[in-house]
Amino acid sequence: ADLTGPRWHAAFDLAFGRVCGAKARIDGYNGMLANLKRGRNFQNPNSTTWVLEPADATEASSSLRNLAARARLHLQRGVDEHPGTPWAAIAEYELKTPFGWRWTESE
């Protein structure tokens, strides 16, 4: 709220959204690996491998879900309030990568 110029708003939303998104992705990734180490059973008896894929939903804690939501909020605000700018283009690109993870089985 203390920022007065539109460039400052755009730069802040982009930077803060990217940082929140990176932290949500990294902490979520580490959490998913920790959950797998505790043991996980295959649903399909022919499966032999777990594959970790990016996903919109996550099994992570509520604090990570909130952090991902915060990242989406700031990045989307950058896209909506500053269309046609480099900040909006980078924010759109960042929003294409999900903030969560999911395990899938493969044979």
Side-chain angles (χ1 to χ4, degrees):
D2 294 338
L3 301 175
T4 56
R7 286 183 184 215
W8 286 105
H9 283 271
F12 174 81
D13 282 334
L14 177 63
F16 193 71
R18 290 182 85 184
V19 167
C20 288
K23 178 143 177 65
R25 288 182 189 114
I26 291 167
D27 288 352
Y29 182 85
N30 286 334
M32 293 295 280
L33 293 178
N35 287 341
L36 186 63
K37 283 183 179 180
R38 289 187 206 113
R40 186 178 188 102
N41 296 324
F42 290 111
Q43 300 289 330
N44 181 352
N46 296 328
S47 296
T48 59
T49 307
W50 287 108
V51 178
L52 188 58
E53 299 176 338
D56 289 325
T58 184
E59 301 170 14
S61 67
S62 62
S63 63
L64 283 179
R65 284 193 298 271
N66 291 340
L67 190 60
R70 204 169 191 192
R72 268 188 222 92
L73 171 85
H74 283 279
L75 292 169
Q76 191 61 53
R77 187 165 63 188
V79 170
D80 295 342
E81 293 181 6
H82 309 283
T85 65
W87 298 284
I90 296 169
E92 284 176 349
Y93 179 78
E94 191 75 24
L95 285 167
K96 289 179 185 176
T97 305
F99 297 107
W101 301 96
R102 75 166 174 239
W103 288 110
T104 58
E105 300 177 24
S106 71
E107 295 180 22

